[in-house]
Amino acid sequence: MTFFVRSHSRPGCPVTSNVVGMTTSAAAPTGSEGAITVGGAVTDRLVEANEHYAEAFTDPGMDARPVLHVAVVACMDARLDLHAALGLELGDCHTIRNAGGVVTDDVIRSLTISQRKLGTRSVVLIHHTNCGLEALTEDFRSELEMEVGQRPAWAVESFRDVDQDVRQSMQRVRTSPFLLHKEDVRGFVFDVRTGLLREVDPA
């Protein structure tokens, strides 16, 4: 199978390998200006960065509908720089992220809105190696209940076999009665050591 990635600013340049290069931003900035801060100071840093961004910002005049009609569901892991890795630009796709990149009820909610109201047709699912969910179990919910006196209603969605969890997520998309477009659903595992995507066979 071939994973095509097209950007509206680079027509006619598909990526035709089923292993796609992916960059990360795992390295922390160095020096006093780029030092990582803690507490409220990190939020202040983000707000200051936004002020600089806004100074040069011009309204791109884009529609809310993604140009490539694709929704990407991925883990929230900070090592995954999805737009840079997939050759995507602002306005190209919907990006839905959570712990593990698993397809939960809330992901189905977002995908349903994405498809039915904003015109997406393809779904790309991205898990990764060395995921934090591999070190958790559903006991985490019991630990929280002991600590705060209330058991979470949500499942941890931990897993041991990343490929099988990708397959489960694909199956959840394909069997959802709320989604209109389930023909183009593809699942991948991002290797945090090599930066490559490996496609998972749904069978």
Side-chain angles (χ1 to χ4, degrees):
M1 298 180 73
T2 303
F3 182 31
F4 289 95
V5 178
R6 293 193 299 273
S7 172
H8 57 286
S9 64
R10 295 180 298 279
C13 299
V15 175
T16 56
S17 171
N18 65 349
V19 179
V20 182
M22 192 166 204
T23 59
T24 68
S25 56
T30 59
S32 59
E33 292 183 359
I36 298 297
T37 54
V38 296
V42 68
T43 304
D44 292 338
R45 174 181 165 184
L46 299 180
V47 172
E48 181 180 356
N50 172 256
E51 291 172 353
H52 292 299
Y53 169 77
E55 289 174 359
F57 181 81
T58 55
D59 182 0
M62 293 178 178
D63 187 88
R65 295 170 177 264
V67 172
L68 299 182
H69 310 292
V70 61
V72 179
V73 180
C75 184
M76 65 185 186
D77 193 291
R79 292 169 289 186
L80 276 67
D81 186 353
L82 294 175
H83 274 68
L86 300 178
L88 298 168
E89 297 182 357
L90 184 67
D92 278 348
C93 74
H94 280 159
T95 305
I96 304 163
R97 303 184 73 160
N98 65 18
V102 296
V103 175
T104 61
D105 286 346
D106 193 61
V107 168
I108 293 294
R109 163 186 167 270
S110 294
L111 287 175
T112 301
I113 294 169
S114 176
Q115 289 193 357
R116 290 181 175 268
K117 297 301 181 182
L118 295 167
T120 60
R121 302 180 64 89
S122 300
V123 179
V124 174
L125 307 174
I126 300 177
H127 283 32
H128 65 93
T129 60
N130 194 29
C131 183
L133 285 189
E134 296 180 57
L136 291 177
T137 69
E138 292 299 322
D139 290 340
F140 181 59
R141 298 170 70 224
S142 300
E143 295 167 5
L144 287 173
E145 183 179 17
M146 291 292 292
E147 179 181 337
V148 305
Q150 181 177 340
R151 190 176 183 82
W154 38 262
V156 176
E157 297 280 0
S158 59
F159 55 85
R160 294 292 179 268
D161 184 333
V162 65
D163 284 40
Q164 183 56 34
D165 204 66
V166 171
R167 293 188 187 98
Q168 175 176 273
S169 287
M170 284 191 280
Q171 183 67 9
R172 287 178 177 177
V173 171
R174 288 181 173 136
T175 57
S176 172
F178 306 110
L179 299 177
L180 293 173
H181 307 292
K182 296 177 274 192
E183 302 82 11
D184 187 15
V185 179
R186 310 266 296 272
F188 300 84
V189 175
F190 167 57
D191 191 318
V192 298
R193 296 171 301 173
T194 65
L196 294 174
L197 285 179
R198 173 177 55 79
E199 185 156 12
V200 175
D201 188 338

